[in-house]
PDB file of all heavy atoms in Angstrom:
ATOM      1  N   ASN A 158     -26.320   9.618  48.758  1.00  0.00           N
ATOM      2  CA  ASN A 158     -25.321   9.123  47.803  1.00  0.00           C
ATOM      3  C   ASN A 158     -25.392   7.612  47.676  1.00  0.00           C
ATOM      4  O   ASN A 158     -25.722   6.916  48.636  1.00  0.00           O
ATOM      5  CB  ASN A 158     -23.895   9.464  48.261  1.00  0.00           C
ATOM      6  CG  ASN A 158     -23.614  10.935  48.228  1.00  0.00           C
ATOM      7  OD1 ASN A 158     -23.716  11.557  47.181  1.00  0.00           O
ATOM      8  ND2 ASN A 158     -23.267  11.498  49.375  1.00  0.00           N
ATOM      9  N   THR A 159     -25.027   7.146  46.506  1.00  0.00           N
ATOM     10  CA  THR A 159     -24.783   5.726  46.290  1.00  0.00           C
ATOM     11  C   THR A 159     -23.295   5.598  46.011  1.00  0.00           C
ATOM     12  O   THR A 159     -22.723   6.424  45.292  1.00  0.00           O
ATOM     13  CB  THR A 159     -25.593   5.194  45.090  1.00  0.00           C
ATOM     14  OG1 THR A 159     -26.977   5.256  45.413  1.00  0.00           O
ATOM     15  CG2 THR A 159     -25.235   3.766  44.758  1.00  0.00           C
ATOM     16  N   THR A 160     -22.677   4.585  46.606  1.00  0.00           N
ATOM     17  CA  THR A 160     -21.257   4.355  46.370  1.00  0.00           C
ATOM     18  C   THR A 160     -21.102   3.091  45.535  1.00  0.00           C
ATOM     19  O   THR A 160     -21.620   2.034  45.896  1.00  0.00           O
ATOM     20  CB  THR A 160     -20.496   4.195  47.703  1.00  0.00           C
ATOM     21  OG1 THR A 160     -20.731   5.355  48.500  1.00  0.00           O
ATOM     22  CG2 THR A 160     -19.007   4.024  47.468  1.00  0.00           C
ATOM     23  N   VAL A 161     -20.419   3.232  44.428  1.00  0.00           N
ATOM     24  CA  VAL A 161     -20.124   2.105  43.547  1.00  0.00           C
ATOM     25  C   VAL A 161     -18.623   1.855  43.655  1.00  0.00           C
ATOM     26  O   VAL A 161     -17.827   2.779  43.512  1.00  0.00           O
ATOM     27  CB  VAL A 161     -20.509   2.427  42.078  1.00  0.00           C
ATOM     28  CG1 VAL A 161     -20.127   1.291  41.162  1.00  0.00           C
ATOM     29  CG2 VAL A 161     -21.989   2.746  41.973  1.00  0.00           C
ATOM     30  N   THR A 162     -18.259   0.601  43.934  1.00  0.00           N
ATOM     31  CA  THR A 162     -16.843   0.271  44.102  1.00  0.00           C
ATOM     32  C   THR A 162     -16.435  -0.778  43.071  1.00  0.00           C
ATOM     33  O   THR A 162     -17.120  -1.788  42.902  1.00  0.00           O
ATOM     34  CB  THR A 162     -16.572  -0.262  45.524  1.00  0.00           C
ATOM     35  OG1 THR A 162     -17.058   0.690  46.472  1.00  0.00           O
ATOM     36  CG2 THR A 162     -15.089  -0.475  45.755  1.00  0.00           C
ATOM     37  N   VAL A 163     -15.318  -0.508  42.394  1.00  0.00           N
ATOM     38  CA  VAL A 163     -14.721  -1.455  41.448  1.00  0.00           C
ATOM     39  C   VAL A 163     -13.234  -1.550  41.771  1.00  0.00           C
ATOM     40  O   VAL A 163     -12.691  -0.723  42.504  1.00  0.00           O
ATOM     41  CB  VAL A 163     -14.935  -1.033  39.976  1.00  0.00           C
ATOM     42  CG1 VAL A 163     -16.392  -1.089  39.588  1.00  0.00           C
ATOM     43  CG2 VAL A 163     -14.367   0.349  39.712  1.00  0.00           C
ATOM     44  N   VAL A 164     -12.586  -2.564  41.217  1.00  0.00           N
ATOM     45  CA  VAL A 164     -11.157  -2.761  41.454  1.00  0.00           C
ATOM     46  C   VAL A 164     -10.452  -2.763  40.101  1.00  0.00           C
ATOM     47  O   VAL A 164     -10.902  -3.411  39.155  1.00  0.00           O
ATOM     48  CB  VAL A 164     -10.904  -4.096  42.199  1.00  0.00           C
ATOM     49  CG1 VAL A 164      -9.416  -4.340  42.385  1.00  0.00           C
ATOM     50  CG2 VAL A 164     -11.622  -4.088  43.546  1.00  0.00           C
ATOM     51  N   SER A 165      -9.345  -2.046  40.030  1.00  0.00           N
ATOM     52  CA  SER A 165      -8.566  -1.969  38.798  1.00  0.00           C
ATOM     53  C   SER A 165      -7.509  -3.072  38.769  1.00  0.00           C
ATOM     54  O   SER A 165      -6.922  -3.411  39.801  1.00  0.00           O
ATOM     55  CB  SER A 165      -7.879  -0.605  38.715  1.00  0.00           C
ATOM     56  OG  SER A 165      -6.953  -0.581  37.657  1.00  0.00           O
ATOM     57  N   ILE A 166      -7.255  -3.607  37.587  1.00  0.00           N
ATOM     58  CA  ILE A 166      -6.179  -4.589  37.413  1.00  0.00           C
ATOM     59  C   ILE A 166      -4.832  -3.945  37.733  1.00  0.00           C
ATOM     60  O   ILE A 166      -3.928  -4.588  38.267  1.00  0.00           O
ATOM     61  CB  ILE A 166      -6.174  -5.129  35.959  1.00  0.00           C
ATOM     62  CG1 ILE A 166      -7.391  -5.995  35.724  1.00  0.00           C
ATOM     63  CG2 ILE A 166      -4.902  -5.904  35.658  1.00  0.00           C
ATOM     64  CD1 ILE A 166      -7.546  -6.457  34.297  1.00  0.00           C
ATOM     65  N   VAL A 167      -4.695  -2.665  37.444  1.00  0.00           N
ATOM     66  CA  VAL A 167      -3.441  -1.947  37.640  1.00  0.00           C
ATOM     67  C   VAL A 167      -3.052  -1.890  39.116  1.00  0.00           C
ATOM     68  O   VAL A 167      -1.887  -2.034  39.472  1.00  0.00           O
ATOM     69  CB  VAL A 167      -3.533  -0.522  37.044  1.00  0.00           C
ATOM     70  CG1 VAL A 167      -2.271   0.265  37.302  1.00  0.00           C
ATOM     71  CG2 VAL A 167      -3.830  -0.585  35.559  1.00  0.00           C
ATOM     72  N   ASN A 168      -4.047  -1.682  40.006  1.00  0.00           N
ATOM     73  CA  ASN A 168      -3.772  -1.589  41.439  1.00  0.00           C
ATOM     74  C   ASN A 168      -4.870  -2.324  42.209  1.00  0.00           C
ATOM     75  O   ASN A 168      -5.754  -1.700  42.794  1.00  0.00           O
ATOM     76  CB  ASN A 168      -3.693  -0.123  41.859  1.00  0.00           C
ATOM     77  CG  ASN A 168      -3.108   0.049  43.243  1.00  0.00           C
ATOM     78  OD1 ASN A 168      -2.845  -0.926  43.944  1.00  0.00           O
ATOM     79  ND2 ASN A 168      -2.902   1.291  43.630  1.00  0.00           N
ATOM     80  N   PRO A 169      -4.827  -3.661  42.222  1.00  0.00           N
ATOM     81  CA  PRO A 169      -5.918  -4.434  42.811  1.00  0.00           C
ATOM     82  C   PRO A 169      -6.063  -4.292  44.326  1.00  0.00           C
ATOM     83  O   PRO A 169      -7.096  -4.635  44.878  1.00  0.00           O
ATOM     84  CB  PRO A 169      -5.588  -5.880  42.421  1.00  0.00           C
ATOM     85  CG  PRO A 169      -4.160  -5.882  42.060  1.00  0.00           C
ATOM     86  CD  PRO A 169      -3.803  -4.500  41.626  1.00  0.00           C
ATOM     87  N   LYS A 170      -5.047  -3.772  44.997  1.00  0.00           N
ATOM     88  CA  LYS A 170      -5.134  -3.620  46.454  1.00  0.00           C
ATOM     89  C   LYS A 170      -5.818  -2.323  46.865  1.00  0.00           C
ATOM     90  O   LYS A 170      -6.045  -2.096  48.048  1.00  0.00           O
ATOM     91  CB  LYS A 170      -3.738  -3.708  47.063  1.00  0.00           C
ATOM     92  CG  LYS A 170      -3.116  -5.077  46.876  1.00  0.00           C
ATOM     93  CD  LYS A 170      -1.798  -5.195  47.577  1.00  0.00           C
ATOM     94  CE  LYS A 170      -1.150  -6.489  47.164  1.00  0.00           C
ATOM     95  NZ  LYS A 170      -1.091  -7.462  48.177  1.00  0.00           N
ATOM     96  N   LYS A 171      -6.131  -1.482  45.879  1.00  0.00           N
ATOM     97  CA  LYS A 171      -6.752  -0.194  46.190  1.00  0.00           C
ATOM     98  C   LYS A 171      -8.079  -0.073  45.414  1.00  0.00           C
ATOM     99  O   LYS A 171      -8.098   0.390  44.270  1.00  0.00           O
ATOM    100  CB  LYS A 171      -5.818   0.958  45.814  1.00  0.00           C
ATOM    101  CG  LYS A 171      -6.345   2.301  46.223  1.00  0.00           C
ATOM    102  CD  LYS A 171      -5.399   3.410  45.840  1.00  0.00           C
ATOM    103  CE  LYS A 171      -6.000   4.749  46.211  1.00  0.00           C
ATOM    104  NZ  LYS A 171      -5.261   5.853  45.617  1.00  0.00           N
ATOM    105  N   PRO A 172      -9.204  -0.485  46.023  1.00  0.00           N
ATOM    106  CA  PRO A 172     -10.506  -0.365  45.352  1.00  0.00           C
ATOM    107  C   PRO A 172     -10.826   1.095  45.012  1.00  0.00           C
ATOM    108  O   PRO A 172     -10.425   2.006  45.722  1.00  0.00           O
ATOM    109  CB  PRO A 172     -11.497  -0.915  46.384  1.00  0.00           C
ATOM    110  CG  PRO A 172     -10.671  -1.732  47.320  1.00  0.00           C
ATOM    111  CD  PRO A 172      -9.314  -1.097  47.336  1.00  0.00           C
ATOM    112  N   ILE A 173     -11.533   1.271  43.926  1.00  0.00           N
ATOM    113  CA  ILE A 173     -11.911   2.612  43.472  1.00  0.00           C
ATOM    114  C   ILE A 173     -13.372   2.844  43.844  1.00  0.00           C
ATOM    115  O   ILE A 173     -14.257   2.120  43.390  1.00  0.00           O
ATOM    116  CB  ILE A 173     -11.715   2.739  41.950  1.00  0.00           C
ATOM    117  CG1 ILE A 173     -10.256   2.477  41.588  1.00  0.00           C
ATOM    118  CG2 ILE A 173     -12.186   4.099  41.456  1.00  0.00           C
ATOM    119  CD1 ILE A 173     -10.029   2.231  40.123  1.00  0.00           C
TER     120      ILE A 173
END
Side-chain angles (χ1 to χ4, degrees):
N158 292 301
T159 294
T160 304
V161 177
T162 306
V163 294
V164 177
S165 170
I166 290 174
V167 177
N168 193 355
K170 295 185 189 250
K171 185 180 177 192
I173 301 165

